Each structure stands twice: as C-alpha cells, then as structure tokens.
Amino acid sequence: MTWSPSSPGFWRSPLRGPWLTSVLGVVLLGGITVLFVTGLVSYAAYNPNLAAVNDKTPDKGLLGFYLFSWPTRPHWLYRLDQGVHVTLGVTLIPVLLAKLWSVVPKLFTLPPARSLSHALERLSLLLLVGGGLFEFVTGVLNIQLDYVFPGSFYPLHFYGAWVFFSAFVAHAVLKTPAALRNLRRMREAGGELPVQASELVSPRPAAPTVSRRGALGLVGGGSLLLFATTAGQSFDGPLRRTALLAPHGGPDPGSGPNGFQINKTAAYAGIDAARTGADAWRLTVTGRSGTVRLSRADLARLPLHGAALPIACVEGWSTSDQRWRGVRLRDLAALVGHEDGPPDVLVDSLQLHGSFRRAALRANQVADPRSLLALYVNGEDLSPDHGYPARIIVPAAPGVLNTKWVARMTFGDL
Ligand SMILES: Nc1nc2c(c(=O)[nH]1)N[C@H]1C(S)=C(S)[C@@H](COP(=O)(O)O)O[C@H]1N2
Ligand SMILES: [Mo]
C-alpha cells in the first residue's frame, strides 16, 4: 500500500495527539491575543487619522473604527507596547510552527469538504494557517530587512491581522473548550497522558524518539532562545549586546553622548552636510500670523528646556531615556500666532525621498511641555545621524514621528 499525505497512516509521529495540540493552542490563545491588541494599539500611535503622511494604510475604512488620539503619557508607552509586540511575536515563532506541525495531518484531509459546514470549517482553517504564517513572516521581514514588500509593510500587516484574527477567534471559540478539557483530563490523570481517540493520533505510530514533554521542552527552549536573543534590543548597555538576532541589537552603537541606536544615518537619508551648516540651514516655521525663519543660533537663544525621553521604533528596538534639550514645540507655535493653545503641526525634513521624511503631530503632542525641537542630546550637539541641526522628540510617540533634520514646521489644524 502506498501512503499519501492525505491518508492518516502517512503521519507517523507518536507525539501528535490532543494533549500536545491543546497545550500549544492555549499558549497561542493568550499570545496571539496580546499580539493583536498591541499591534492595533501600535498602529493607533501613528495618529493615522491626522494626516495623509501618517496614514500607512489608506482605505482601512471600518477597520480603523477603534483609532484614538495617541496620548503623551506615560512617556514609555510606545516603547512598551511595541517592545512587547515584536519580542512576543518572535518568541512565539516556535510555538506557532509546533502547533502547525501537530495538526498537519488535518490540513491534508481529503475530500476537501464533506459538507457545507465542513467546507466552512476548512476555509476558516485556511485563513487561520495562511493568515498566521503571513503575519509572522511579514513581521519578521519588516524587522530584519526593512522593506522587501511591493508597496508598504503596514497595509499588508494590518489587513492580514484582521483576517488572521477573525479566523483565530472563530477557531478559538470552536476549539478552546476541548483544549481545556484535554488539559484538565491530563491533570486529573495525575500527569499521566491518557490515551485518547483522536484524528490527531497516528493509526500506525512510529517508535518515539522523544517524549511529548521532551518535545514541548524543545519548543519552549527554542522560544526561550529567541526571547533571550531579541529582548535586549529594548535596553541599553550590556543587555543590548545580547540581542544577537535583532538588527538594532548586538554591539553598542558607539560611545559618548550620541552613542545610542541610530535608525537611518544621515548618509542613508541623503542629507548633504552643506545644507546643515550654520550659513545654509534655516528652520521655516509657519502659522496663523505668518512665517518666520530661524537659524540654529536663533533657536539656541530661545528658552531651552530639557526632557528625558526614549527613541522607540516600530521594529521593536528602543533606547533608554536620553536627555534632550531644545525649544518647546508649543513655544514655536506661539511664535507664529498660536499663543492660545497650539494646533497640529506638519513637520518636514531636509530629506527628499523616503516615507519617513515628514510626519504630522497632534495638538496634544505639540502642547506637552516635554515635546521639543531638540538641538542637543546628553549635553552635546546632536550628531548628524541623530538629526543635526534639529530634530523632533515627543513623549510616548513611535520613532517615526520623531523627525530628524527638520527643515519646516507648519502649524494649523490638519
Ligand atoms: N527625516 C527622517 N527622520 C526620521 C527617520 C527618517 O527616516 N527620516 N526615521 C524615523 C524613525 S523610523 C526612527 S525609529 C527614528 C530613529 O531615530 P535615531 O536614528 O536618532 O535613533 O527617527 C525617525 N526620524
Ligand atoms: Mo522607526
């Protein structure tokens, strides 16, 4: 007799069974729910409803129903949210793969559909498996390789999340009771693995090479290893050096006041040093009462304030609080006629190409006294790579809103 993947006897691992699938399923139930929530929250942090430049997923329609004005407190809000999203996502990869492996015989079942309800169940399974793989793969590619997508990462990951999570909820509603029952039975059996009739169990099991607990240990060990080589990217100092798998982890990013993580360098962004010098660079600020142009020396003569704030990137890495010093955004607003409470602002940089060369900030972000057009960091001039002559820094905001090499600020309701 020849065995094909659609016949149960083809799959021979004695590890497959309700217990392993249930344990992995319960872990994913919690983990993926956290990924979904932190992901939606992370997207809200861009203030996508504010201006076209912030909106990474045009045509989101109803899916954007939950968006809200991103707050500025606590100042580590985005750092925490996106750090959890990325680190947890990476950590769950072995669990996801093991879960798929544990149910793989079911994915090959023939005929594809025995009835309408069976057809619907299989369709939801297709969305679940396809959606899950799609979300994990796009997420990992985004943190590892930047942009390898036709178009943008954001719409793909955002729409994919809704498709995946819808199928996930349907699946969880159907399967969680059985999963919990399986685990309870196992506990009642005093830790003994009860033999159960299940289509997951191979009808002609091969000899085991590892116990189920051992298999679970391997998965857990893999997750732990990924966690241990990723989580450090959210910290400075020795911990960052442990983030071997993170593109912005590994060795210390230089030393000195500007020795903290850089995303895009000035060279990468095409910032010509000739345009940032004292003679060439002017900040153009426009508002209700007109336009002013300020040199860096002019800015340095305005009241300067300090704020200790991190850089926190969508890729999951972040820095600890850096000590920034510069002009309050609300003071700049007041300079051009918005003394009575600042409006939104559109910030443009010297950069000519690239999707992060401009960003819009909401009135609540402009109003926060810690929101600065920074000239200095940690007691020194900004380095070219950190945005010299001047950059935005806003509490709790994603890195992408902290525009570097600022050239123009336009205040007014966007
Ligand atoms: N002009 C400009 N500003 C920018 C970017 C950019 O590509 N161009 N990248 C943003 C992103 S995605 C991040 S995470 C932060 C990183 O700041 P840093 O390089 O000083 O750490 O800068 C932001 N400001
Ligand atoms: Mo970023």
Side-chain angles (χ1 to χ4, degrees):
M1 157 151 206
T2 56
W3 301 90
S4 80
S6 67
S7 51
F10 178 86
W11 306 96
R12 301 198 55 191
S13 172
L15 298 178
R16 286 201 185 85
W19 181 74
L20 186 66
T21 296
S22 299
V23 174
L24 297 169
V26 168
V27 172
L28 288 177
L29 176 66
I32 284 173
T33 304
V34 172
L35 286 184
F36 183 66
V37 172
T38 50
L40 290 192
V41 165
S42 167
Y43 180 57
Y46 282 68
N47 285 331
N49 278 349
L50 175 59
V53 291
N54 288 30
D55 190 354
K56 306 294 181 196
T57 63
D59 306 322
K60 61 192 163 304
L62 277 180
L63 299 183
F65 73 92
Y66 72 91
L67 293 171
F68 53 97
S69 277
W70 188 246
T72 56
R73 272 163 214 282
H75 71 273
W76 38 260
L77 186 58
Y78 190 77
R79 190 179 175 204
L80 176 72
D81 184 79
Q82 194 62 8
V84 168
H85 185 73
V86 170
T87 302
L88 181 61
V90 170
T91 302
L92 285 179
I93 290 172
V95 184
L96 180 80
L97 295 179
K99 177 73 163 60
L100 288 177
W101 176 87
S102 81
V103 297
V104 79
K106 287 180 127 182
L107 305 182
F108 286 94
T109 312
L110 286 177
R114 289 189 301 267
S115 62
L116 182 62
S117 70
H118 186 233
L120 285 177
E121 191 201 312
R122 298 215 65 191
L123 182 69
S124 81
L125 214 59
L126 194 71
L127 295 178
L128 183 72
V129 172
L133 288 174
F134 182 82
E135 285 305 277
F136 277 79
V137 168
T138 51
V140 167
L141 288 178
N142 189 55
I143 53 183
Q144 288 295 338
L145 300 177
D146 254 18
Y147 295 99
V148 289
F149 303 103
S152 170
F153 160 75
Y154 298 87
L156 296 176
H157 204 63
F158 182 76
Y159 299 142
W162 280 103
V163 171
F164 173 46
F165 199 70
S166 308
F168 178 78
V169 168
H171 184 74
V173 166
L174 288 172
K175 302 287 187 183
T176 304
L180 295 177
R181 205 161 48 239
N182 287 332
L183 295 180
R184 200 170 47 238
R185 257 188 224 149
M186 147 99 192
R187 229 189 7 254
E188 283 164 6
E192 282 295 305
L193 300 176
V195 183
Q196 288 169 7
S198 159
E199 46 181 328
L200 291 172
V201 176
S202 173
R204 46 169 214 144
T209 49
V210 58
S211 71
R212 277 189 194 152
R213 292 237 177 87
L216 210 55
L218 282 179
V219 175
S223 281
L224 211 61
L225 193 68
L226 287 177
F227 177 82
T229 48
T230 301
Q233 68 173 334
S234 304
F235 304 93
D236 290 340
L239 270 179
R240 185 175 299 274
R241 263 172 262 145
T242 64
L244 303 171
L245 285 183
H248 289 91
D252 274 341
S255 57
N258 276 280
F260 57 98
Q261 216 41 246
I262 292 161
N263 193 351
K264 301 286 178 341
T265 62
Y268 180 96
I271 304 302
D272 184 352
R275 293 168 60 214
T276 60
D279 295 334
W281 187 81
R282 294 291 179 274
L283 173 72
T284 305
V285 189
T286 302
R288 194 149 59 193
S289 65
T291 295
V292 297
R293 285 165 60 77
L294 302 162
S295 69
R296 197 165 187 277
D298 296 334
L299 286 166
R301 278 191 294 271
L302 294 173
L304 298 182
H305 299 269
L309 299 170
I311 297 284
C313 183
V314 65
E315 293 162 29
W317 62 268
S318 55
T319 72
S320 55
D321 294 352
Q322 309 297 322
R323 290 177 297 112
W324 308 92
R325 194 165 172 75
V327 182
R328 281 183 175 153
L329 298 187
R330 67 183 194 193
D331 289 351
L332 289 170
L335 215 57
V336 288
H338 300 277
E339 299 85 355
D340 51 338
D344 309 327
V345 66
L346 179 65
V347 181
D348 277 282
S349 70
L350 292 171
Q351 197 181 336
L352 299 175
H353 308 284
S355 43
F356 303 142
R357 68 183 197 280
R358 52 203 316 238
L361 299 170
R362 264 192 211 284
N364 70 311
Q365 293 174 312
V366 177
D368 193 295
R370 297 163 300 169
S371 296
L372 303 176
L373 179 70
L375 307 176
Y376 312 100
V377 65
N378 300 320
E380 211 175 67
D381 274 338
L382 292 173
S383 69
D385 289 339
H386 282 305
Y388 183 89
R391 78 169 302 162
I392 300 289
I393 186 80
V394 170
V400 65
L401 298 185
N402 294 324
T403 308
K404 305 195 276 192
W405 315 294
V406 173
R408 175 186 295 273
M409 300 175 67
T410 311
F411 289 93
D413 291 319
L414 298 173

